[in-house]
Amino acid sequence: SLSVPVLNMLLNELLCISKVPPGTKHVDVDLSSLPPTTAMAILLYNRWAIRTIVQSSFPVKQVKPGPPQLNVMNQMQQEKELTENILKVLKEQAADSILVLEGALKLNKDLYVHTIRTLDLLAMEPGMVNGETENSTAGLKISAEEIQCQVCYDLGAIYFQQGSTNAAVHENAKEKFFKTKELIAKNGSSSLHFTIDEERLAGYCQACGVLTSSSDDASQQATPYSQIHSCMKSGNYQDLVKIFLEDNLTLSLPVQFRQSVLRELFQKAQQGNDALDEVCFKVCVCNTVCDVLQGRIIDIQFCQLFLKPNKEKIDFLLEVCSRSINLENASEALKRKMAAFLKNLCLGLEDLQLVFMISSHELFIKLLKDDERKLLIDQMRKRSPRINLCTKPVTSFYDIPASASVNIGQLEHQLILSVDPWRIRQILIELHGMTSERQFWTISNKWEVPNVYGNVILGIKDNLTRDLVYILMAKGLHCCAIKDFVHAKQLFAACLELVTEFSPKLRQVMLNEMLLLDIYTHEAGAGVSGERPPSDLISRVRGYLEMRVPDIPLRQVIAEECVAFLLNWRENEYLTMQVPLPLVQTNPYVKLGQLLAATCKELPGPKESRRTAKDLWEVVVQICSVSNQHKRGNDGRVSLIKHRESTLGIMYRSELLSFIKKLREPLVLTTILSLFVKLHNVREDIVNDIAAEHISIWPSSIPNLQSVDFEAVAVTVKELVSYALTINANNHFWLIIQADIYFATNQYSAALHYYLQAGAVCSDFFNKMVPPDVYTDQVIKRMIKCCSLLNCHTQVAILCQFLREVDYKTAFKALQEQNSHDAMDSYYEYIWDVTILEYLTYLHHKRGETDKRQIAIKAIGQTELNASNPEEVLQLAAQRRKKKFLQAMAKLYF
């Protein structure tokens, strides 16, 4: 019953307490090597992530809103936004979560989960718990089979959700669900540590059986479910009707399934497939006769479809009735139900010719006694003159297509689906003509309008106008979010035309939203290929930023996108010199944009002129500062949440990060990235500094070092580099930063990958020389350390030659290591330093390794390494070996 944000917070706390390695993806962690409680925490988090994704895909019945309360609405909106943000992250990480759970199925060992007792112990003596001893039994023991049962069920659910267009994924789901059933049967359904809804599991298994074809299971193919599914998929509606007709005798299909098939056919028919009208009628007749035989009420859909009967419809109805009852074996109760249905059908018909068709049918004669038939015909004859005399009232009554409630439901359905503004207007006029009590802007919980606009729109007195404005804007914003810019423009244009007549405030709101839409349209279209936006769009962006119309509700995202737009299209002159001062003081995004633009302009100049760089530095430092607010509980212990994000900065760190991720201009990205790298390096106790371009322009110290949240800065650097590399994966300076981050977090293989990639992109895969400002001595030393810690000691020796002054001490020490994980002697051809080769020869001779000694001697014997050669020849020899070695390393780590 807890909300998604609360569960997310609690599970993250569990991960933290359970010593899950920080800064690493769960998918990269080997579960078998972790303590039991740590592995269990990872498992719990990823199971919850999968379950939350599956749960979010289910339709939710909208709760009717009560009287509007502003503070409650704001709180609900905040929770909704928070939940959506968490869901977005969970969906992005879904593939990783699936891999983690698939890995958990291979564990086959018992795990332990924390209890209140172990958490208390952990608070007192952190080293005692968490399964860090070999024979740890901390916490509650969960058996391997119980874990597998739960994990199989969760994986089955996510595979089933993902498999709507992929039969292979449904096969996976089927396999997991069947395995769950086996494990439940084995362990018993009354297990202490898991509760699986067996009815839902049975439904999943049945659905998987229908959706997946199994060549070795002929009986599975023959089930009515699989046949109906196949007919719907292939459009073979003739056979579909035949299956329903045959089932009217056996009554094996559940009524809910029959109704769901009919609903799906109606939906397809409403989407414009007129050929399905007849199929809908036939399936509806089959369902109605089935309902009659089982004593259920006749559905409104049958009455609606039978309002204008004809000879063909009566013929088919009589055929269904005849084939749905076996008169020889049928009970008296069944016969009376069918007789009553046919009798009432006759009484409801106007056309005596159609009545005669039914009353003369063989089934009717057999089911009704002679006196019942005579009585019915007399009733029809008495009614006949009245029918003929009645003209307008009766015909107009029968011209009504359906009852009011059915019609409202159909119109609401069309209103939800339609994106044509004029059709939306027409539907709303019809709906308001039927009832004045409803608020039609509330019928879909997917229609969302920002709170700042909602208050103005819901203040419109005319109900029809209010509904129309709200729905047009909500649908336009939704189309904008899914990048359907054509429909978004039509909806916004219609809304603008409507509000211009009565509300200057809403007219300006729509102009602002259309500006944002035009920015999105350009950035997703012509902007991708580098085409500059038209001058009128740039003018409108400037006009928005300078707008000073009072009382206009404004969305912060529009200002944010406008500033990002100007930075991306290098409008630095405007941001630096022309933007009005009041705007800089009141809008944090404009201030940030101005400082970024000015800093980028001054980059080539002398260091003394970089006043704006210092201003930008101070603004960002303040954003990344924290206020130390220790919260104590009743027991006097300090709670886990020790810091709150400071509100002293011009915006929150999350808002700054979101803004930066809208930027694409390389110089701007490099500037802000180098600022965060410098801030990351400022801390005195940091050993592994990160290198970056333009890092020298920033101050070297901070007055109050304790106020900066360096953990948040480290996370921000990682996110910014990842984002920057999505903009340009071949920027060698960004690749070096990524490599330095991996180096600083002891991920040496990944660090080498990015160091090598940085060299490869700026040297045509090492066919040219790597520029010295890319492979600096610091980078080479870090590559040496990576190789050393990965036990690739021959690679260490070779890289020692890359330094400006060859590091013989490190090279010799590395070559003495006998437990090397690299190819050793096959790397000797890449060594060009004769001193190292001579040492190798001596070392192999001392160890009695004749074969390796011969390889070293052969390498020394290369004529191009002769010390008497001209310097150019020696350099060419070194360069050739560098190229081959780096290419070999790249193949190894890419």
Side-chain angles (χ1 to χ4, degrees):
S1 62
L2 292 176
S3 65
V4 171
V6 173
L7 279 167
N8 182 54
M9 188 258 301
L10 288 172
L11 283 165
N12 274 297
E13 291 291 356
L14 180 64
L15 290 173
C16 178
I17 288 169
S18 301
K19 304 284 195 301
V20 174
T24 56
K25 288 186 177 180
H26 293 173
V27 73
D28 296 335
V29 176
D30 180 11
L31 289 176
S32 60
S33 66
L34 294 175
T37 45
T38 306
M40 193 64 181
I42 289 175
L43 211 55
L44 278 171
Y45 177 83
N46 288 284
R47 281 187 54 225
W48 168 77
I50 291 301
R51 285 192 168 204
T52 306
I53 292 166
V54 172
Q55 192 67 36
S56 72
S57 69
F58 296 158
V60 179
K61 187 176 180 182
Q62 188 184 3
V63 181
K64 285 188 178 180
Q69 296 177 18
L70 197 60
N71 57 339
V72 176
M73 284 173 69
N74 287 343
Q75 192 177 344
M76 287 169 65
Q77 183 66 23
Q78 284 173 6
E79 186 172 320
K80 190 175 184 183
E81 286 174 5
L82 194 55
T83 302
E84 284 180 356
N85 289 338
I86 292 167
L87 269 172
K88 186 181 175 186
V89 173
L90 293 180
K91 285 174 183 175
E92 285 170 0
Q93 297 172 351
D96 287 355
S97 291
I98 290 170
L99 286 174
V100 169
L101 294 187
E102 286 285 8
L105 291 179
K106 299 170 189 171
L107 268 182
N108 206 21
K109 70 172 185 178
D110 300 342
L111 294 181
Y112 291 84
V113 68
H114 276 302
T115 62
I116 296 297
R117 189 183 67 81
T118 60
L119 290 175
D120 285 341
L121 284 172
L122 194 67
M124 290 186 286
E125 299 179 71
M128 293 296 288
V129 197
N130 197 44
E132 290 174 353
T133 56
E134 287 180 18
N135 56 350
S136 167
T137 54
L140 179 67
K141 180 180 176 181
I142 312 290
S143 72
E145 286 186 339
E146 286 176 320
I147 291 164
Q148 286 198 339
C149 187
Q150 297 169 64
V151 171
C152 280
Y153 181 75
D154 289 332
L155 281 171
I158 190 74
Y159 286 144
F160 188 85
Q161 185 215 353
Q162 291 177 344
S164 56
T165 55
N166 190 337
V169 180
H170 270 138
E171 284 288 356
N172 271 350
K174 182 179 176 183
E175 179 193 329
K176 294 290 184 286
F177 285 133
F178 280 30
K179 178 74 173 170
T180 308
K181 283 185 78 172
E182 282 176 25
L183 289 164
I184 289 175
K186 188 174 178 183
N187 294 322
S189 56
S190 59
S191 170
L192 285 172
H193 305 133
F194 69 83
T195 307
I196 285 172
D197 185 341
E198 292 190 52
E199 284 188 13
R200 184 177 283 269
L201 176 62
Y204 271 133
C205 290
Q206 192 176 52
C208 288
V210 172
L211 296 170
T212 57
S213 55
S214 175
S215 54
D216 59 345
D217 190 357
S219 64
Q220 180 66 38
Q221 277 290 315
T223 62
Y225 296 104
S226 57
Q227 290 173 347
I228 289 169
H229 179 70
S230 175
C231 290
M232 291 288 282
K233 206 170 181 181
S234 61
N236 184 0
Y237 299 115
Q238 194 172 346
D239 283 354
L240 179 73
V241 174
K242 189 178 173 185
I243 294 165
F244 271 78
L245 256 173
E246 290 170 357
D247 189 72
N248 273 19
L249 271 175
T250 59
L251 300 175
S252 62
L253 293 173
V255 62
Q256 293 87 353
F257 179 73
R258 282 172 163 269
Q259 288 169 350
S260 70
V261 172
L262 183 58
R263 273 197 300 272
E264 193 173 336
L265 288 168
F266 268 124
Q267 196 171 2
K268 287 183 177 180
Q270 283 175 349
Q271 287 169 353
N273 192 343
D274 296 333
L276 283 178
D277 288 343
E278 188 184 349
V279 179
C280 288
F281 170 74
K282 288 183 174 180
V283 173
C284 186
V285 168
C286 291
N287 282 359
T288 302
V289 173
C290 180
D291 287 341
V292 166
L293 294 173
Q294 292 186 309
R296 286 190 294 272
I297 297 168
I298 292 172
D299 199 284
I300 189 73
Q301 288 167 327
F302 174 77
C303 301
Q304 193 178 345
L305 288 170
F306 218 70
L307 281 169
K308 293 184 180 178
N310 54 33
K311 185 177 180 297
E312 289 74 21
K313 285 184 177 181
I314 298 291
D315 269 340
F316 182 75
L317 176 63
L318 291 169
E319 182 192 348
V320 173
C321 290
S322 301
R323 291 176 60 177
S324 299
I325 189 168
N326 188 341
L327 289 175
E328 292 176 8
N329 303 325
S331 65
E332 274 306 310
L334 210 61
K335 289 178 183 177
R336 295 317 300 161
K337 285 174 185 173
M338 183 64 84
F341 171 64
L342 292 173
K343 186 178 171 182
N344 289 329
L345 197 65
C346 288
L347 288 169
L349 290 171
E350 282 185 32
D351 192 334
L352 287 178
Q353 189 179 356
L354 299 178
V355 174
F356 180 72
M357 277 180 68
I358 297 171
S359 61
S360 61
H361 194 271
E362 184 184 359
L363 178 67
F364 187 87
I365 294 167
K366 284 182 180 178
L367 287 173
L368 270 81
K369 296 172 186 174
D370 289 343
D371 54 343
E372 283 181 313
R373 287 202 311 277
K374 284 176 185 176
L375 186 64
L376 178 67
I377 290 165
D378 285 344
Q379 281 179 314
M380 297 303 298
R381 280 176 181 161
K382 285 176 187 175
R383 201 182 63 170
S384 174
R386 272 205 319 277
I387 294 168
N388 291 337
L389 289 170
C390 284
T391 53
K392 193 68 182 170
V394 174
T395 51
S396 66
F397 173 78
Y398 279 102
D399 280 343
I400 297 171
S403 70
S405 61
V406 172
N407 231 351
I408 287 173
Q410 288 175 339
L411 287 169
E412 284 180 347
H413 181 68
Q414 290 175 28
L415 187 62
I416 290 168
L417 294 178
S418 180
V419 285
D420 177 4
W422 302 113
R423 178 67 186 135
I424 291 166
R425 178 177 174 276
Q426 184 185 351
I427 293 167
L428 279 171
I429 290 169
E430 288 183 48
L431 285 169
H432 277 274
M434 291 179 178
T435 175
S436 58
E437 298 169 4
R438 296 284 300 277
Q439 295 181 335
F440 293 102
W441 64 271
T442 64
I443 65 172
S444 173
N445 62 349
K446 300 290 183 188
W447 292 343
E448 292 180 6
V449 164
N451 283 341
V452 286
Y453 298 163
N455 298 333
V456 181
I457 295 171
L458 298 181
I460 298 170
K461 289 180 182 177
D462 180 63
N463 291 345
L464 173 60
T465 308
R466 180 198 59 214
D467 286 347
L468 186 53
V469 172
Y470 190 98
I471 293 168
L472 287 173
M473 181 179 280
K475 281 177 175 281
L477 289 168
H478 173 70
C479 288
C480 204
I482 61 171
K483 295 185 168 51
D484 182 359
F485 299 129
V486 174
H487 281 122
K489 191 149 195 169
Q490 290 171 1
L491 290 157
F492 281 164
C495 195
L496 175 64
E497 187 179 335
L498 177 64
V499 298
T500 300
E501 297 172 8
F502 65 89
S503 173
K505 191 182 288 189
L506 283 174
R507 179 181 178 276
Q508 189 58 55
V509 164
M510 289 316 304
L511 288 171
N512 296 345
E513 288 298 328
M514 290 184 83
L515 168 64
L516 182 62
L517 175 62
D518 287 344
I519 290 172
Y520 285 152
T521 307
H522 181 268
E523 297 295 83
V528 174
S529 57
E531 185 181 324
R532 270 190 73 76
S535 55
D536 73 303
L537 180 56
I538 294 173
S539 299
R540 284 167 61 205
V541 169
R542 292 180 179 184
Y544 173 82
L545 291 175
E546 295 169 17
M547 182 178 62
R548 280 289 164 270
V549 183
D551 300 329
I552 297 294
L554 298 173
R555 278 210 296 159
Q556 191 69 280
V557 69
I558 306 180
E560 192 180 344
E561 289 287 352
C562 284
V563 175
F565 178 82
L566 292 172
L567 283 169
N568 285 333
W569 295 105
R570 295 173 290 283
E571 291 290 317
N572 294 344
E573 192 67 39
Y574 171 77
L575 284 168
T576 310
M577 307 292 290
Q578 297 171 31
V579 68
L581 185 61
L583 184 59
V584 178
Q585 292 166 342
T586 55
N587 192 312
Y589 293 102
V590 175
K591 182 173 183 179
L592 189 66
Q594 186 184 63
L595 290 170
L596 267 170
T599 306
C600 290
K601 272 181 68 181
E602 292 174 2
L603 271 180
K607 192 172 181 181
E608 295 74 30
S609 68
R610 291 173 188 156
R611 171 67 200 162
T612 50
K614 188 172 182 295
D615 292 342
L616 179 59
W617 168 268
E618 286 170 358
V619 164
V620 173
V621 167
Q622 204 169 32
I623 290 171
C624 294
S625 294
V626 291
S627 52
N628 292 322
Q629 294 183 1
H630 295 261
K631 192 177 179 183
R632 291 186 178 273
N634 294 332
D635 58 355
R637 288 165 61 183
V638 179
S639 71
L640 287 168
I641 303 166
K642 293 181 182 176
H643 300 291
R644 293 181 185 170
E645 208 169 354
S646 172
T647 51
L648 299 173
I650 61 170
M651 62 181 73
Y652 288 116
R653 186 181 61 87
S654 56
E655 292 173 328
L656 172 61
L657 190 60
S658 170
F659 172 71
I660 295 168
K661 287 185 178 180
K662 298 179 191 299
L663 302 173
R664 287 190 333 274
E665 172 59 27
L667 185 58
V668 180
L669 274 175
T670 300
T671 303
I672 195 71
L673 188 53
S674 70
L675 188 155
F676 271 100
V677 167
K678 181 69 176 183
L679 188 54
H680 175 275
N681 293 345
V682 159
R683 193 163 39 164
E684 290 171 10
D685 61 341
I686 197 94
V687 177
N688 302 310
D689 276 4
I690 299 171
E693 211 179 355
H694 309 307
I695 203 164
S696 62
I697 69 170
W698 311 111
S700 300
S701 60
I702 299 172
N704 187 4
L705 204 62
Q706 289 75 29
S707 68
V708 178
D709 185 353
F710 284 103
E711 287 179 18
V713 171
V715 170
T716 307
V717 171
K718 288 178 189 175
E719 288 196 45
L720 288 183
V721 176
S722 298
Y723 168 70
L725 289 173
T726 62
I727 301 298
N728 181 5
N730 293 330
N731 185 308
H732 47 270
F733 289 116
W734 297 348
L735 288 165
I736 290 286
I737 295 172
Q738 181 71 284
D740 281 348
I741 290 169
Y742 280 121
F743 180 82
T745 52
N746 306 328
Q747 297 176 73
Y748 301 113
S749 180
L752 272 174
H753 169 90
Y754 282 99
Y755 283 132
L756 289 164
Q757 194 175 335
V761 296
C762 61
S763 65
D764 189 18
F765 198 68
F766 304 112
N767 284 307
K768 298 173 186 170
M769 189 174 172
V770 180
D773 60 337
V774 177
Y775 275 4
T776 61
D777 269 10
Q778 182 183 346
V779 169
I780 299 298
K781 282 175 182 175
R782 289 188 173 184
M783 290 172 75
I784 288 168
K785 187 174 179 183
C786 289
C787 291
S788 177
L789 290 164
L790 292 168
N791 284 341
C792 296
H793 301 297
T794 319
Q795 294 172 9
V796 169
I798 296 168
L799 284 168
C800 284
Q801 305 171 106
F802 282 61
L803 296 165
R804 286 194 180 87
E805 293 183 14
V806 180
D807 186 352
Y808 290 114
K809 183 181 176 182
T810 305
F812 292 167
K813 188 178 176 184
L815 293 172
Q816 287 170 15
E817 297 281 349
Q818 290 186 304
N819 184 23
S820 188
H821 293 171
D822 56 26
M824 295 181 70
D825 49 336
S826 65
Y827 278 117
Y828 292 175
E829 62 179 296
Y830 304 133
I831 301 173
W832 64 87
D833 188 284
V834 177
T835 308
I836 293 174
L837 285 169
E838 285 173 347
Y839 181 76
L840 266 173
T841 310
Y842 157 74
L843 204 59
H844 290 314
H845 175 72
K846 185 180 171 185
R847 291 175 182 166
E849 296 166 345
T850 314
D851 293 346
K852 291 182 179 179
R853 179 172 174 270
Q854 283 303 116
I855 295 167
I857 289 170
K858 186 181 175 185
I860 296 175
Q862 298 288 320
T863 52
E864 57 190 358
L865 297 183
N866 193 315
S868 304
N869 285 337
E871 188 61 30
E872 293 83 4
V873 174
L874 292 171
Q875 282 183 359
L876 279 170
Q879 189 54 41
R880 190 164 65 88
R881 282 163 175 75
K882 275 186 183 179
K883 167 191 159 182
K884 285 188 173 181
F885 172 69
L886 290 170
Q887 286 175 342
M889 286 277 281
K891 286 172 186 173
L892 189 63
Y893 286 98
F894 281 4

